[in-house]
Amino acid sequence: MATKMNLCAQTGQISRLSLSQIKRVDGISRQVQPAGHKQLHSFKSSRLWTSIKPELAKKTRRPRVCSSILEAQRSGAAPVTTPSKLPNFLETKNPAEALIQYFETLPSSDDINGESSVSDSADRLFLWESVPKLAKKQTFSVYEMNEFDRDSPAFLEFSSQTVNRVDPRTGAHVHALGDQVQFTNKLYDGSLKLRLGITAGICLLMKNYPGMGTLEMKRQQYFIPDRYETLMTWYFGDFGHISGQGPFVNYQDTLMTITGGVGFFREARGVVRLHTVTPFKFFYTFTLTGIPQLPKHLTAEVVVPSEDAAAVPEAVACDPRFTLRNFSN
């Protein structure tokens, strides 16, 4: 052992040691054990180790790169705005738009029959891993439209209340805790010129509030002032989807929490503001962090919510020029 240590001490300048030589010297330190009644000093307390340690750390240290906002927050490191290596088609002013353009060069999921179409669509969502995420808040709006062609909504009278179950004046079922509403409607961008996909969700009725709502709401057919607990998802074709949970009150604006997403929205955090336009038309405003730079598909000029707001005929007819590629239907 002493011979090996002497040889190491005679190697001259530490800077000339190769990494493999340094690792061998490091290995020697692990083999030094106490002998008899005399405690030997650890090699790591020697002057040689004191000289080698900085060089060893210098040669073996690997730079930590955080490729996402969430990883940076967990590690305490400064988040990067751009991963170190991106595919060439992502090295553009807006990588999200470039990736969507790349998707357009791939076969549509409708062109493939069978299970492979589902797998291919899901696999595309993993490509969003390469697109840089931003820490700043970004906002965009979408419309949910019930066009009465999807058997939606389905109101299920599950309430087991025994008092005033039936309105004595009309004989109608009184909304109460336990009733459920399942729904799936069409999703359009804020300009109502682009079909994005669909919404899907379940609402559990918490309470009915007779008399609540504005005069405009009260004069609308089928309006009943209710408060629901809601689980729902917004589907955006090749962009992926966003999931949310929280209160839905149809007579006033509410905020729901974003619980996650996939694809473009994999690291989305934030809230969505729900605004009821009519019982069959809703306007959502998302405020999110942890998503890539918003593309033009989600930043078009917004149509002001009103009873008369409607999607353009081409988008309703799913003209390919007015739809998001591989949109959910």
Side-chain angles (χ1 to χ4, degrees):
M1 179 67 68
T3 302
K4 291 183 178 180
M5 293 175 62
N6 290 336
L7 289 175
C8 291
Q10 294 171 8
T11 54
Q13 296 295 328
I14 297 303
S15 59
R16 295 180 182 177
L17 285 176
S18 66
L19 181 58
S20 61
Q21 288 172 321
I22 293 176
K23 287 182 177 179
R24 285 198 295 273
V25 173
D26 185 22
I28 294 173
S29 70
R30 298 191 182 96
Q31 299 174 15
V32 176
Q33 300 293 337
H37 299 286
K38 186 176 181 179
Q39 178 72 34
L40 296 179
H41 291 290
S42 169
F43 176 55
K44 287 193 174 182
S45 66
S46 68
R47 284 179 296 178
L48 178 59
W49 173 252
T50 304
S51 302
I52 289 176
K53 186 176 181 181
E55 189 70 15
L56 178 63
K58 178 180 178 181
K59 289 180 178 292
T60 58
R61 184 184 299 119
R62 295 180 180 178
R64 177 170 179 78
V65 177
C66 296
S67 59
S68 70
I69 299 301
L70 296 185
E71 183 183 356
Q73 292 174 344
R74 288 193 295 267
S75 66
V80 296
T81 56
T82 314
S84 56
K85 292 183 179 180
L86 290 174
N88 291 335
F89 65 86
L90 291 180
E91 296 175 351
T92 61
K93 184 176 181 180
N94 190 328
E97 291 185 2
L99 185 53
I100 288 296
Q101 291 174 3
Y102 173 73
F103 285 152
E104 293 177 353
T105 67
L106 302 178
S108 169
S109 60
D110 295 334
D111 298 335
I112 308 173
N113 296 320
E115 297 180 357
S116 60
S117 62
V118 178
S119 299
D120 291 345
S121 296
D123 288 344
R124 294 186 190 187
L125 299 179
F126 286 100
L127 292 179
W128 288 106
E129 302 283 335
S130 300
V131 179
K133 315 302 187 295
L134 304 182
K136 69 178 182 179
K137 293 180 181 178
Q138 299 185 80
T139 300
F140 66 96
S141 299
V142 298
Y143 274 95
E144 177 186 11
M145 298 283 193
N146 186 333
E147 297 173 352
F148 309 106
D149 59 351
R150 301 178 62 84
D151 294 326
S152 173
F155 191 94
L156 306 180
E157 299 176 356
F158 287 155
S159 172
S160 60
Q161 68 169 348
T162 57
V163 180
N164 293 332
R165 182 175 177 80
V166 176
D167 188 324
R169 297 170 300 172
T170 63
H173 171 82
V174 176
H175 291 194
L177 179 64
D179 291 336
Q180 289 187 17
V181 180
Q182 288 79 35
F183 64 92
T184 172
N185 296 312
K186 295 180 180 179
L187 189 65
Y188 296 94
D189 76 329
S191 71
L192 290 171
K193 295 179 180 178
L194 185 67
R195 172 75 184 280
L196 300 175
I198 62 171
T199 61
I202 301 174
C203 292
L204 176 64
L205 183 63
M206 305 307 294
K207 190 176 181 181
N208 174 249
Y209 290 85
M212 296 297 291
T214 64
L215 292 177
E216 287 186 353
M217 290 181 174
K218 291 178 180 178
R219 65 180 176 80
Q220 294 174 0
Q221 189 178 12
Y222 303 113
F223 171 73
I224 300 177
D226 289 330
R227 179 191 179 96
Y228 298 88
E229 182 66 20
T230 301
L231 295 168
M232 69 177 297
T233 301
W234 297 260
Y235 291 92
F236 294 82
D238 280 337
F239 282 100
H241 68 254
I242 307 174
S243 294
Q245 178 179 359
F248 172 70
V249 183
N250 62 2
Y251 57 84
Q252 66 183 38
D253 288 5
T254 56
L255 290 179
M256 285 177 59
T257 303
I258 299 304
T259 56
V262 300
F264 183 93
F265 306 102
R266 184 177 70 88
E267 295 188 27
R269 293 292 184 272
V271 297
V272 56
R273 187 183 187 96
L274 285 68
H275 173 69
T276 301
V277 183
T278 73
F280 303 103
K281 185 183 304 180
F282 306 92
F283 184 75
Y284 302 95
T285 301
F286 293 90
T287 301
L288 305 176
T289 61
I291 61 174
Q293 180 182 346
L294 287 174
K296 61 183 179 182
H297 308 73
L298 301 176
T299 56
E301 185 176 355
V302 174
V303 173
V304 177
S306 69
E307 292 186 44
D308 298 328
V312 298
E314 294 85 351
V316 175
C318 297
D319 184 318
R321 298 170 299 170
F322 294 82
T323 61
L324 201 59
R325 188 171 174 84
N326 290 321
F327 70 92
S328 299
N329 195 23

